[in-house]
Amino acid sequence: MSTKPLTGHETPGDPCCIVVFGASGDLTKRKLMPALYNLKALKLLPENFALIGVAVTESNDDQYREKITSDIKQFATREVDNAEWDDFAKRSYYLSGDFNSPDTFKNLSLKIAEIQKQWALPGNILFYLAVAPSFFGKVVEQLSLVGLTTESDDAWKRIIIEKPFGHDLASARALNATLSERVKESQIYRIDHYLGKETVQNIMVFRFGNSVFEPIWNRRYIDYVQITVGEQLGVELRGGYYDQSGVTRDMVQNHILSVLSLVAMEPPASISGDSVRNEKVKVLEAIRPMEPEEILANTVRGQYGPGIIDGKTVPGYRSEPNVNPLSNTETFVAMKLMVENWRWADVPFFIRSGKRLAAHTTQIVIGFRRTPLLLFGKDVEDNIMPNRLVIHVQPDEGITMDIHAKRPGPRVAIANVPLDFSYKDFGETSAATGYETLLYDCMIGDMTLFHRYDSVDASWRIVDPILDVWQALHPRDFPNYAAGTWGPEAADKLIEKSGHSWHHYFLNK
Ligand code: BG6
């Protein structure tokens, strides 16, 4: 696993053919193509590669090259070098076809064979499924029927699957059963783009690369953990998908629980592959699924009404395109989870996420316990916060440690002093989309940052009972927060009941 920005000093990925299903979609043009181009610019894409875009839209190789050339000008995150791009474009091909039709896969097989011959490529193939979830199983099934998933000693076949992996526990299990009839677990790369984010990967380096934090990383010193993923955006043009999903499925089941498990896991035996994934899944397994009455006490859901974001009035969720005007889908969630193991017993993990919140921010706050003795008087101590460590994931990347210091002067007055470390001051901030590391890791066969099925199953086991209770008890107060706020009041009450409050901490502000 790459635990620092990819610099180009690493060895390039294995020569391969990259097949992107969903080639005309948003994800492909905004994230995947810029990420592949960044890898090329960093000399991490193998010199010998070919790319095939597959989608239903009628087009041909030349038209496709024109399209990606115009898209990259718009979405590249670094300056595009003409010579590099020309090489990229000339190695790019297009196949139009319906994913339901076996002919598409027969044609794909022929096209791959032709391209492999033309470029003298080995048999390695990376399939990227940037398609609607209902196609995941079908595409893999069809690929296997035409022999495209069969590996040999010198030819790997790897499949990157986008989220969501299932709609609930039962459908995730069914999808996994379909996949495992066709391919091995070692071929399935379940992607989570949060794990491609620089500061998320830095959690491991921070914890296990410094000797000072790990000894205090437990219930004796840590009072609570908060994870906030706030978005100012609404559902944009994804109302159709989102209304069937909601924030718990969209963000908690995957991104947030995965970040939580990195924060809470035991030190792994090594930093790659299954060692890390073994430890992550143990954390999820230690979060006991809640009983209905616990769900009512420890979770809050919300839906945004109209409000103001950046000075502009925005509509409520129920008026968004492709959203049911009577929708009960939650666009905000807050919950208190308990990791019931020796390290974390009794330490609450508060998580919250929502659309149309007051700020775009992802941050992890580790709250430490107060000092055991109030040496400087209760009044002084009451006015200062116990130490906090804030890991800023986005938009600004960095880490803040809040410590206490004496204010200069004759009296004892204590102030909170933030020790800030910002990635911006640290050196080159990478022009990354977040997908580079993950695509690169797949090309070198490193699965550390991808979800293994047991962790997907474990996170559905946490989330499913909550969704069931919510489904049975329709919310009576939706919409219950105005766009541009921090969610419903009940979310504040939820955390206040435990004697805490949500932190909104901004780097460099
Ligand atoms: C996606 C969700 O997985 O993550 C979106 O489907 C969400 O709804 C997005 O907006 C957030 O990602 P990021 O990287 O912008 O925080």
Side-chain angles (χ1 to χ4, degrees):
M1 184 204 56
S2 329
T3 47
K4 55 184 172 46
L6 296 170
T7 58
H9 297 303
E10 298 84 358
T11 321
D14 299 342
C16 61
C17 188
I18 302 167
V19 180
V20 179
F21 290 93
S24 39
D26 237 39
L27 176 71
T28 308
K29 74 174 174 210
R30 285 175 193 275
K31 301 284 184 189
L32 300 184
M33 297 304 270
L36 287 169
Y37 177 70
N38 284 341
L39 286 177
K40 179 146 177 57
L42 290 166
K43 309 270 177 255
L44 291 175
L45 205 57
E47 252 175 53
N48 196 7
F49 80 97
L51 176 111
I52 307 176
V54 190
V56 263
T57 325
E58 278 299 329
S59 186
N60 59 34
D61 294 339
D62 287 335
Q63 288 167 346
Y64 183 60
R65 288 179 191 133
E66 269 173 44
K67 178 187 166 349
I68 58 175
T69 304
S70 114
D71 287 346
I72 200 76
K73 288 189 186 133
Q74 201 181 344
F75 298 110
T77 57
R78 67 173 65 227
E79 209 173 309
V80 179
D81 175 281
N82 286 339
E84 289 277 21
W85 179 256
D86 288 350
D87 184 52
F88 191 106
K90 94 174 174 227
R91 289 168 176 274
S92 300
Y93 299 82
Y94 185 78
L95 178 75
S96 70
D98 176 352
F99 302 149
N100 286 313
S101 156
D103 286 345
T104 303
F105 297 86
K106 287 185 200 139
N107 294 339
L108 177 64
S109 180
L110 294 173
K111 186 142 189 148
I112 291 176
E114 214 177 279
I115 293 169
Q116 283 172 333
K117 192 158 161 224
Q118 182 184 346
W119 295 101
L121 276 167
N124 303 328
I125 310 178
L126 188 168
F127 297 101
Y128 198 117
L129 271 52
V131 296
S134 54
F135 286 114
F136 294 161
K138 283 184 199 158
V139 170
V140 173
E141 197 171 10
Q142 291 297 330
L143 286 173
S144 108
L145 289 174
V146 294
L148 281 173
T149 53
T150 312
E151 296 196 295
S152 63
D153 284 349
D154 51 3
W156 51 254
K157 307 287 160 54
R158 298 176 186 147
I159 304 163
I160 300 187
I161 298 194
E162 264 296 334
K163 60 169 274 259
F165 196 92
H167 184 72
D168 52 19
L169 182 60
S171 56
R173 285 186 174 164
L175 172 58
N176 205 52
T178 308
L179 298 184
S180 38
E181 271 174 32
R182 303 287 170 182
V183 288
K184 294 177 285 201
E185 174 68 24
S186 61
Q187 294 177 269
I188 310 175
Y189 287 66
R190 298 178 193 82
I191 200 164
D192 181 331
H193 79 280
Y194 266 62
L195 299 180
K197 291 185 192 281
E198 207 57 68
T199 345
V200 170
Q201 291 171 49
N202 196 26
I203 297 171
M204 273 193 278
V205 178
F206 184 84
R207 288 189 55 196
F208 307 127
N210 294 296
S211 59
V212 291
F213 298 109
E214 201 46 31
I216 56 169
W217 208 260
N218 57 53
R219 63 192 301 277
R220 288 186 64 198
Y221 297 94
I222 293 180
D223 199 14
Y224 64 85
V225 176
Q226 289 183 18
I227 302 177
T228 296
V229 182
E231 296 188 80
Q232 279 191 307
L233 292 176
V235 289
E236 310 275 275
L237 301 173
R238 298 164 71 224
Y241 149 76
Y242 198 88
D243 211 29
Q244 302 301 314
S245 163
V247 65
T248 313
R249 290 188 171 92
D250 190 47
M251 299 296 291
V252 177
Q253 183 271 332
N254 34 69
H255 308 317
I256 298 185
L257 287 178
S258 190
V259 170
L260 185 154
S261 53
L262 284 176
V263 171
M265 73 181 184
E266 295 300 314
S270 84
I271 200 64
S272 57
D274 275 337
S275 297
V276 172
R277 305 200 299 173
N278 289 344
E279 297 309 331
K280 283 179 65 191
V281 74
K282 281 189 213 158
V283 174
L284 300 175
E285 283 167 352
I287 302 177
R288 181 178 49 79
M290 287 188 264
E291 297 297 330
E293 51 292 356
E294 292 173 303
I295 291 168
L296 297 179
N298 296 324
T299 69
V300 166
R301 58 187 153 158
Q303 187 190 77
Y304 62 86
I308 295 176
I309 299 262
D310 283 341
K312 288 197 194 104
T313 306
V314 296
Y317 175 71
R318 289 177 177 179
S319 314
E320 299 277 16
N322 299 323
V323 167
N324 175 353
L326 298 173
S327 174
N328 281 329
T329 299
E330 84 288 357
T331 61
F332 174 94
V333 64
M335 39 178 110
K336 173 177 156 185
L337 296 173
M338 303 303 289
V339 179
E340 297 183 358
N341 62 19
W342 277 54
R343 187 186 282 262
W344 296 113
D346 300 329
V347 178
F349 283 69
F350 299 104
I351 62 177
R352 64 176 171 162
S353 182
K355 299 270 185 203
R356 288 285 191 225
L357 295 189
H360 169 221
T361 174
T362 298
Q363 57 182 248
I364 304 158
V365 179
I366 313 288
F368 291 92
R369 293 192 187 281
R370 284 191 180 276
T371 49
L373 194 64
L374 302 182
L375 212 49
F376 304 104
K378 192 166 175 333
D379 287 353
V380 176
E381 300 263 354
D382 275 353
N383 288 326
I384 55 170
M385 297 284 297
N387 299 125
R388 279 180 313 179
L389 173 80
V390 186
I391 301 176
H392 309 267
V393 177
Q394 58 187 18
D396 297 312
E397 301 175 312
I399 293 180
T400 301
M401 181 80 213
D402 257 353
I403 59 152
H404 302 142
K406 180 183 169 302
R407 280 189 192 284
R411 286 185 309 118
V412 179
I414 297 186
N416 287 305
V417 186
L419 302 182
D420 277 343
F421 142 67
S422 162
Y423 259 68
K424 275 201 203 112
D425 309 327
F426 188 36
E428 188 202 347
T429 47
S430 65
T433 61
Y435 280 80
E436 290 78 0
T437 310
L438 299 168
L439 285 162
Y440 174 72
D441 283 355
C442 183
M443 281 188 274
I444 61 168
D446 186 338
M447 306 189 88
T448 315
L449 295 177
F450 294 84
H451 290 304
R452 202 168 59 189
Y453 181 69
D454 53 357
S455 72
V456 177
D457 203 274
S459 36
W460 277 120
R461 272 181 273 143
I462 298 166
V463 159
D464 241 25
I466 301 173
L467 295 169
D468 287 347
V469 167
W470 288 352
Q471 171 77 21
L473 295 175
H474 288 306
R476 296 211 199 115
D477 58 348
F478 276 11
N480 59 357
Y481 70 99
T485 65
W486 280 110
E489 256 181 62
D492 295 333
K493 295 208 175 103
L494 169 77
I495 194 165
E496 282 159 12
K497 276 194 301 200
S498 304
H500 300 287
S501 57
W502 296 107
H503 298 304
H504 313 137
Y505 198 111
F506 297 98
L507 198 61
N508 306 327
K509 292 221 170 120

